[in-house]
Amino acid sequence: MARFDAFRRVAERIVDLSSDYRLRDAQDYPRWYARPHPRPELLSEFVYGIPELHRDEIRDARYVAAAGCNATATVLALAPLFRRGLAGRVVVEVKAGSSEGGNTVSPASHHPERSGAVRSYRPTGHRHLAEIVQELGSTDIHFSATSIEMVRGILATCHVFLLESLTEKDLWKLYREHYAVEPFVRIVKERTGIYRYPEPKILSGSNYCDIGFERDPQTERVVVMSAIDNLMKGAAGQAVQCFNLMHDIPETTALDFPGLHPI
Amino acid sequence: MARFDAFRRVAERIVDLSSDYRLRDAQDYPRWYARPHPRPELLSEFVYGIPELHRDEIRDARYVAAAGCNATATVLALAPLFRRGLAGRVVVEVKAGSSEGGNTVSPASHHPERSGAVRSYRPTGHRHLAEIVQELGSTDIHFSATSIEMVRGILATCHVFLLESLTEKDLWKLYREHYAVEPFVRIVKERTGIYRYPEPKILSGSNYCDIGFERDPQTERVVVMSAIDNLMKGAAGQAVQCFNLMHDIPETTALDFPGLHPI
Amino acid sequence: MARFDAFRRVAERIVDLSSDYRLRDAQDYPRWYARPHPRPELLSEFVYGIPELHRDEIRDARYVAAAGCNATATVLALAPLFRRGLAGRVVVEVKAGSSEGGNTVSPASHHPERSGAVRSYRPTGHRHLAEIVQELGSTDIHFSATSIEMVRGILATCHVFLLESLTEKDLWKLYREHYAVEPFVRIVKERTGIYRYPEPKILSGSNYCDIGFERDPQTERVVVMSAIDNLMKGAAGQAVQCFNLMHDIPETTALDFPGLHPI
Amino acid sequence: MARFDAFRRVAERIVDLSSDYRLRDAQDYPRWYARPHPRPELLSEFVYGIPELHRDEIRDARYVAAAGCNATATVLALAPLFRRGLAGRVVVEVKAGSSEGGNTVSPASHHPERSGAVRSYRPTGHRHLAEIVQELGSTDIHFSATSIEMVRGILATCHVFLLESLTEKDLWKLYREHYAVEPFVRIVKERTGIYRYPEPKILSGSNYCDIGFERDPQTERVVVMSAIDNLMKGAAGQAVQCFNLMHDIPETTALDFPGLHPI
């Protein structure tokens, strides 16, 4: 944040990958980040950087705050339901890889400790929840993150209690319509095979967000799963996507890597 | 099941590790296992094999149906809250290793496919939920399982919406009292360090169920986490524990391996 | 092999990825593959598919036998030394991932067994040695392969006992000259940092063969290390490279993926 | 080393797990450790701590220098051949886990970098070679170590060029006789199955050194493979074994853990 003024003197447009400008309401910073925001006047100059939600604003934006990785996966999974007022209580369980912790060495990232871990990283109070609440407009969303054996990748498993009864067919229709023209969102839902639902491992290096869902026939719960590469659609890839929009370049430029299989 | 009559002719006591006799109500079999139970009269002869819940019955039992691995982790995590009538809606997210799938080869277990997977194994309709509902007495429990990169181990992350307001101190008291004398249940909850909450990897080969919890200060949610080795406390180890009780041998006999670190 | 005649009736040029036509001498088949070659007359119609060794022949070839993955890594590591007559006895230790075993399920590839394995796959008698001997022209080459926890990738560690004394500088010069213009061979040799020598993990999906070496100051041994992705430079990628040459397309077409980091 | 005098004032017997006193010849320290030994007079007071080679001396020893992990695996693999004067040139390739690097955090041990690595840790000049040469009495031994995806464990693959022609049967006889009464050395050599040769993963936590071999029918090479848990037989376990001998306690006391499968 200290260098923002220096950057904006030389850069016409900026995509900020930190969490410094993601929240619109300055009051959210003390609550979620345990410190007041030092430059609250800047918050309104930023657009929140998920193109699927704010494409037009991003096109016109001078400053974009690229979304958090967990928030991106969660918001894309849930937006179709919340936009139609269909979602009640939601519990989100994110499984995340070690690259989410950044490249700073720590005892927690030491390979003999981190290898094979299933570490309850943030059962409550995860900061990305602030972004999720802001974008989806509900406070009945509950979020936990667990670090697992993986370097890149996020799987968000979102348990949604529906306010209206929806069939699987309804859900298909809803998600297909919502993401019909999106270049980086795919609905992944198969009845057989190994890859029936979104799988982060085959997205390593790609900018896709894969979304699937399964309707619990016995309750009003639907489980929506979304997978991304946290370093691509969850960070640098999404930043490039925003950059492309801001500069009127085709949105998928430099983001055409489809991922590897097997991996 | 075909060989049960042969077995009981020669064995005075039997611990069955399959799911054949876990459910008391024969009607649950068509619902969860998609077939009627062929010997419903036998169900009442079995005791459900979680010693922490049915110790006295197991001591006197001729037949014990060892509990499912995911059910064991979930039931031990939640029993203290349900026994006091404190738990409302619950969402359980289990992270499981590949040994849960058994030793039969399949394309899904082929190393190049299974390695690094974060596979939504059973977002809804998991059969172990039948046992969980039976033991906890609530149908407002919602269960998903995700297969992750791990051979042994289960972490059950249980999001509980409390019916009464409880502080972390209340929860400490509740869990400590409930499991005070249990040889294989430990409360794991630290403020610092790498192993703040239950971690399945360090339980490989051990019969412990480690339980931790975190109270969300902003909502009525508490996250209860429990870890086991699915092949020990989730299968053979718990069966030995039951066997010890059934034969009046000290309960911890042959179950004293504490686990490895690092691993 | 059964379908080769059918294929060649419809295809003008063929790149065969099997081992059926890699060896020029029909007598090598009974020795290494335990069966006589059913169509020995075809062997002379094939060019061995490592472009760095047979570029001109591949350009003119109708049929190319794409090289084995371990053979590719080993031959590229050692060719500069053998072409100058500098290499005496060689011991090659290959570390390989599970995708080398193909996509057929087996107890050996079952995740709980294969995960974390350090399996001495073929301490002696590995079939790829036949190709290596053929291409390098020495029988004093000794080869072992060990399967490790990895899906894609090969690291070949080649211990070469030199026939002449060479300094590290001599070796730099030799390798640099030999591979100067090669688009897919890189010399990787750093004094500091994490990636001092070839590392297969960062080559996943790429067609590079990275080669490094370290001179033992106390003996006449030099250790030459080479890394490839066995499914790219060791299989499909090299086949595409051959295909490009055969069709006079720029050699790197469709092979420009640089790999991921971290991974 | 600084605290050795303090320790020996209070401890009757000492097992030192560092490399400070492993080499008998003080001249080896400047050569392999790049510094003169500050207390050369102490070297003769230490016995090298591999019980299978120095059992009687260890029983009587006041000070034992526990052997290096790679040296233990290599020396146990090769001693039967060297003791009979049967081994000529040897090339040893060790595959090692991340716990070998100790518990100090570094960029090289950061999970996103270390995970999945196949890192040529020390192609030449590995310090454990000094111990190996000392114990086996030959300088025609060549050693490399590669770090792979694993926390605990070592597999030493030793390529031995025999000075006399030996059949597999001869080798069986030789190894069986040599290690007949050893409680922690097992010959592992099967014709079928997944675990034909020593596999470090199933030794995690155990003090065994498993040894296997395969005779190359086409050359004078035999490949001897040995596996240990570097933290047990390669460190603490072997130290306890020495301690037991030094105190006339049964040698296997506290070392009876057989390992886990699957893992």
Side-chain angles (χ1 to χ4, degrees):
Chain A
M1 201 177 289
R3 298 155 71 195
F4 180 71
D5 287 324
F7 286 147
R8 73 167 162 176
R9 271 195 296 277
V10 295
E12 221 169 301
R13 292 183 181 81
I14 291 176
V15 181
D16 186 308
L17 279 104
S18 79
S19 59
D20 290 347
Y21 305 101
R22 290 181 192 157
L23 305 180
R24 277 190 294 272
D25 184 345
Q27 297 311 315
D28 279 342
Y29 279 91
R31 182 174 168 203
W32 292 97
Y33 289 86
R35 51 175 176 72
H37 198 286
R39 305 283 296 277
E41 75 283 3
L42 289 174
L43 294 176
S44 62
E45 299 191 37
F46 276 81
V47 173
Y48 187 69
I50 298 186
E52 290 77 7
L53 276 80
H54 301 285
R55 184 168 281 114
D56 291 340
E57 297 158 79
I58 292 169
R59 275 193 226 276
D60 298 336
R62 195 166 164 202
Y63 305 134
V64 167
C69 50
N70 300 302
T72 297
T74 303
V75 165
L76 289 174
L78 298 174
L81 292 166
F82 275 101
R83 290 293 149 92
R84 306 280 183 101
L86 297 164
R89 171 164 287 175
V90 177
V91 174
V92 181
E93 255 279 317
V94 155
K95 274 73 69 179
S98 61
S99 66
E100 216 178 76
N103 63 2
T104 305
V105 171
S106 81
S109 76
H110 189 49
H111 184 272
E113 303 293 359
R114 183 60 180 79
S115 172
V118 191
R119 191 182 290 163
S120 300
Y121 166 64
R122 191 63 81 176
T124 74
H126 196 294
R127 290 164 169 183
H128 286 189
L129 181 52
E131 303 170 37
I132 295 166
V133 167
Q134 169 182 285
E135 294 301 311
L136 297 178
S138 161
T139 57
D140 201 4
I141 303 175
H142 308 270
F143 184 94
S144 287
T146 307
S147 302
I148 64 171
E149 175 58 47
M150 175 160 63
V151 172
R152 286 174 179 240
I154 285 174
L155 182 73
T157 307
C158 309
H159 305 257
V160 183
F161 294 90
L162 295 170
L163 297 176
E164 283 179 34
S165 201
L166 293 171
T167 63
E168 284 240 329
K169 211 173 154 185
D170 295 334
L171 289 162
W172 261 114
K173 192 158 174 288
L174 179 72
Y175 274 88
R176 218 185 262 145
E177 280 175 17
H178 197 95
Y179 288 127
V181 298
E182 284 302 335
F184 292 117
V185 178
R186 301 184 294 200
I187 310 304
V188 175
K189 183 168 168 54
E190 304 288 339
R191 283 175 198 218
T192 57
I194 299 170
Y195 297 94
R196 298 183 203 182
Y197 287 120
E199 167 61 78
K201 78 167 182 160
I202 57 171
L203 297 182
S204 274
S206 99
N207 198 50
Y208 289 103
C209 176
D210 285 354
I211 299 178
F213 52 85
E214 185 171 295
R215 183 76 178 77
D216 188 343
Q218 306 192 0
T219 69
E220 285 309 305
R221 181 178 61 130
V222 60
V223 183
V224 186
M225 294 145 280
S226 64
I228 60 169
D229 177 346
N230 58 303
L231 300 181
M232 291 296 298
K233 186 63 180 164
Q238 187 153 258
V240 170
Q241 191 182 350
C242 291
F243 177 97
N244 290 341
L245 287 168
M246 293 161 89
H247 293 82
D248 208 21
I249 300 169
E251 191 171 337
T252 60
T253 302
L255 296 172
D256 58 347
F257 179 63
L260 297 174
H261 178 263
I263 187 166
Chain B
M1 203 180 288
R3 298 156 71 196
F4 180 69
D5 287 323
F7 286 147
R8 72 169 163 174
R9 271 194 297 276
V10 296
E12 224 169 297
R13 290 183 183 82
I14 290 177
V15 181
D16 187 307
L17 280 106
S18 78
S19 59
D20 290 347
Y21 305 102
R22 288 181 192 155
L23 305 181
R24 277 191 294 274
D25 184 346
Q27 298 312 315
D28 279 343
Y29 279 91
R31 182 176 168 202
W32 291 96
Y33 288 86
R35 52 174 175 72
H37 197 285
R39 306 282 299 277
E41 75 283 2
L42 289 173
L43 293 176
S44 62
E45 299 192 37
F46 276 81
V47 173
Y48 187 70
I50 298 186
E52 289 77 7
L53 275 81
H54 301 284
R55 183 168 281 116
D56 291 340
E57 297 157 79
I58 292 169
R59 274 193 227 277
D60 298 335
R62 202 173 155 197
Y63 304 134
V64 167
C69 50
N70 300 304
T72 298
T74 303
V75 165
L76 289 174
L78 298 174
L81 292 167
F82 276 101
R83 289 293 148 93
R84 306 283 183 100
L86 296 165
R89 169 163 289 174
V90 177
V91 173
V92 181
E93 254 279 317
V94 155
K95 274 71 71 179
S98 61
S99 67
E100 216 179 74
N103 63 3
T104 305
V105 171
S106 79
S109 76
H110 189 50
H111 184 273
E113 303 292 0
R114 182 61 180 78
S115 173
V118 191
R119 192 182 289 163
S120 300
Y121 165 65
R122 193 62 83 176
T124 74
H126 197 291
R127 288 163 168 183
H128 286 189
L129 181 53
E131 304 171 35
I132 295 165
V133 167
Q134 170 182 286
E135 294 300 312
L136 298 178
S138 162
T139 57
D140 201 5
I141 303 175
H142 308 270
F143 186 93
S144 288
T146 307
S147 302
I148 63 171
E149 175 59 46
M150 173 159 65
V151 171
R152 287 174 178 240
I154 286 174
L155 182 73
T157 308
C158 309
H159 305 257
V160 183
F161 293 91
L162 296 169
L163 297 175
E164 283 179 33
S165 201
L166 294 171
T167 64
E168 286 241 326
K169 209 173 156 187
D170 296 334
L171 288 162
W172 261 114
K173 193 157 173 290
L174 178 73
Y175 274 89
R176 219 185 260 146
E177 280 175 17
H178 197 93
Y179 288 125
V181 298
E182 285 301 336
F184 293 117
V185 179
R186 301 185 294 200
I187 311 304
V188 175
K189 183 169 168 53
E190 304 288 340
R191 282 173 200 222
T192 57
I194 299 171
Y195 297 94
R196 298 183 203 184
Y197 287 119
E199 168 60 77
K201 77 168 184 158
I202 58 172
L203 297 181
S204 274
S206 100
N207 198 52
Y208 289 104
C209 177
D210 285 354
I211 300 178
F213 53 85
E214 186 170 296
R215 184 77 177 77
D216 188 343
Q218 306 193 1
T219 69
E220 284 309 306
R221 180 177 64 129
V222 59
V223 183
V224 186
M225 294 144 281
S226 65
I228 60 170
D229 178 345
N230 58 305
L231 300 181
M232 291 298 295
K233 186 64 180 164
Q238 187 153 258
V240 169
Q241 192 182 349
C242 290
F243 177 97
N244 290 341
L245 287 168
M246 293 161 88
H247 293 83
D248 208 20
I249 300 168
E251 190 171 338
T252 59
T253 302
L255 295 172
D256 57 347
F257 179 64
L260 299 173
H261 178 261
I263 187 168
Chain C
M1 203 179 287
R3 297 156 72 194
F4 180 70
D5 287 323
F7 286 147
R8 74 168 161 175
R9 271 194 297 277
V10 296
E12 224 169 298
R13 291 184 183 80
I14 292 177
V15 181
D16 186 308
L17 280 106
S18 78
S19 58
D20 290 346
Y21 305 102
R22 289 179 192 157
L23 305 181
R24 277 191 293 272
D25 184 345
Q27 297 312 314
D28 280 342
Y29 279 90
R31 182 175 170 203
W32 291 97
Y33 288 86
R35 53 175 174 71
H37 198 285
R39 305 282 298 276
E41 76 282 5
L42 289 174
L43 294 176
S44 62
E45 298 191 37
F46 275 82
V47 172
Y48 187 70
I50 298 186
E52 290 77 7
L53 275 81
H54 300 285
R55 183 167 282 115
D56 292 339
E57 298 158 78
I58 292 169
R59 275 194 227 275
D60 298 336
R62 201 170 158 200
Y63 305 134
V64 167
C69 51
N70 300 303
T72 297
T74 304
V75 165
L76 290 174
L78 297 175
L81 292 167
F82 275 102
R83 289 292 150 91
R84 306 281 183 102
L86 295 165
R89 171 163 287 174
V90 177
V91 173
V92 180
E93 257 278 318
V94 155
K95 273 73 69 179
S98 61
S99 66
E100 216 179 73
N103 63 3
T104 305
V105 171
S106 81
S109 76
H110 189 49
H111 184 273
E113 303 293 0
R114 181 61 180 79
S115 173
V118 192
R119 191 182 289 162
S120 300
Y121 165 66
R122 192 63 85 178
T124 74
H126 196 292
R127 289 164 169 183
H128 286 190
L129 181 52
E131 303 171 37
I132 295 166
V133 167
Q134 169 182 286
E135 294 300 311
L136 298 178
S138 162
T139 56
D140 202 5
I141 303 175
H142 307 270
F143 185 94
S144 287
T146 306
S147 302
I148 63 171
E149 176 59 45
M150 172 160 66
V151 171
R152 286 174 179 239
I154 285 173
L155 182 73
T157 309
C158 309
H159 305 257
V160 183
F161 294 92
L162 295 170
L163 297 176
E164 283 179 36
S165 200
L166 294 171
T167 63
E168 286 241 328
K169 208 172 155 187
D170 295 334
L171 288 162
W172 261 114
K173 192 158 173 291
L174 179 71
Y175 274 89
R176 218 185 263 145
E177 280 175 16
H178 197 94
Y179 289 126
V181 298
E182 286 301 336
F184 292 116
V185 179
R186 301 186 293 200
I187 311 303
V188 174
K189 182 167 168 55
E190 303 289 339
R191 283 175 198 219
T192 57
I194 299 171
Y195 297 94
R196 298 184 203 183
Y197 288 119
E199 167 61 77
K201 79 166 181 161
I202 57 171
L203 297 181
S204 274
S206 100
N207 198 51
Y208 289 104
C209 177
D210 285 354
I211 298 177
F213 52 85
E214 186 171 295
R215 183 75 178 78
D216 187 342
Q218 305 192 1
T219 70
E220 285 310 305
R221 181 177 62 129
V222 60
V223 183
V224 186
M225 294 145 281
S226 64
I228 60 170
D229 177 344
N230 58 303
L231 300 181
M232 291 298 295
K233 187 61 180 165
Q238 187 153 258
V240 169
Q241 193 182 348
C242 291
F243 178 96
N244 290 342
L245 286 168
M246 293 161 88
H247 293 83
D248 209 20
I249 300 169
E251 191 171 338
T252 59
T253 302
L255 296 171
D256 58 346
F257 179 64
L260 298 173
H261 178 263
I263 187 167
Chain D
M1 201 177 292
R3 297 155 72 195
F4 180 70
D5 288 323
F7 286 147
R8 73 168 163 174
R9 270 194 297 276
V10 295
E12 222 168 301
R13 292 183 182 81
I14 290 176
V15 181
D16 186 307
L17 279 105
S18 79
S19 59
D20 290 347
Y21 306 102
R22 290 181 191 156
L23 305 181
R24 278 190 294 273
D25 185 345
Q27 298 311 315
D28 280 342
Y29 279 90
R31 183 175 167 202
W32 292 96
Y33 289 85
R35 51 175 175 74
H37 198 285
R39 305 283 299 276
E41 75 284 3
L42 288 173
L43 294 176
S44 62
E45 298 191 39
F46 276 82
V47 173
Y48 186 70
I50 299 187
E52 290 77 7
L53 275 80
H54 300 285
R55 184 168 280 115
D56 291 339
E57 297 158 79
I58 292 169
R59 274 194 227 276
D60 299 336
R62 201 173 156 199
Y63 305 134
V64 167
C69 50
N70 300 303
T72 297
T74 303
V75 166
L76 289 174
L78 297 175
L81 292 167
F82 275 101
R83 288 293 148 94
R84 306 282 182 101
L86 296 165
R89 171 165 288 176
V90 177
V91 173
V92 181
E93 255 278 319
V94 155
K95 273 72 69 178
S98 62
S99 66
E100 215 177 77
N103 62 4
T104 305
V105 171
S106 79
S109 77
H110 189 50
H111 184 272
E113 303 294 359
R114 182 61 179 79
S115 173
V118 191
R119 191 182 290 162
S120 299
Y121 165 64
R122 191 64 82 178
T124 75
H126 196 292
R127 288 164 169 184
H128 285 190
L129 182 52
E131 302 171 37
I132 295 166
V133 167
Q134 169 181 287
E135 294 300 311
L136 298 177
S138 162
T139 55
D140 201 5
I141 303 174
H142 307 270
F143 185 95
S144 287
T146 308
S147 301
I148 63 172
E149 175 59 46
M150 175 159 66
V151 172
R152 286 175 179 240
I154 286 174
L155 182 73
T157 307
C158 310
H159 304 257
V160 183
F161 294 91
L162 296 170
L163 296 176
E164 283 179 34
S165 200
L166 293 171
T167 63
E168 285 240 329
K169 210 172 154 186
D170 295 334
L171 289 163
W172 261 113
K173 191 158 173 289
L174 179 72
Y175 274 88
R176 219 186 260 144
E177 280 175 16
H178 197 94
Y179 288 125
V181 299
E182 285 302 335
F184 292 117
V185 179
R186 301 184 295 200
I187 311 303
V188 175
K189 182 169 167 55
E190 304 288 340
R191 283 177 198 217
T192 57
I194 297 170
Y195 296 93
R196 298 183 202 182
Y197 288 119
E199 168 59 78
K201 79 167 181 159
I202 58 171
L203 298 181
S204 274
S206 100
N207 198 51
Y208 289 105
C209 177
D210 285 354
I211 299 178
F213 51 85
E214 186 170 295
R215 183 74 177 79
D216 188 343
Q218 305 192 1
T219 70
E220 285 309 306
R221 180 178 64 129
V222 59
V223 182
V224 186
M225 293 145 281
S226 64
I228 60 170
D229 178 345
N230 58 304
L231 299 181
M232 290 297 296
K233 186 63 180 164
Q238 186 153 260
V240 170
Q241 191 182 351
C242 291
F243 177 96
N244 290 341
L245 287 168
M246 292 161 88
H247 292 82
D248 207 21
I249 300 169
E251 190 171 337
T252 60
T253 303
L255 296 172
D256 58 347
F257 179 64
L260 298 173
H261 177 261
I263 186 166

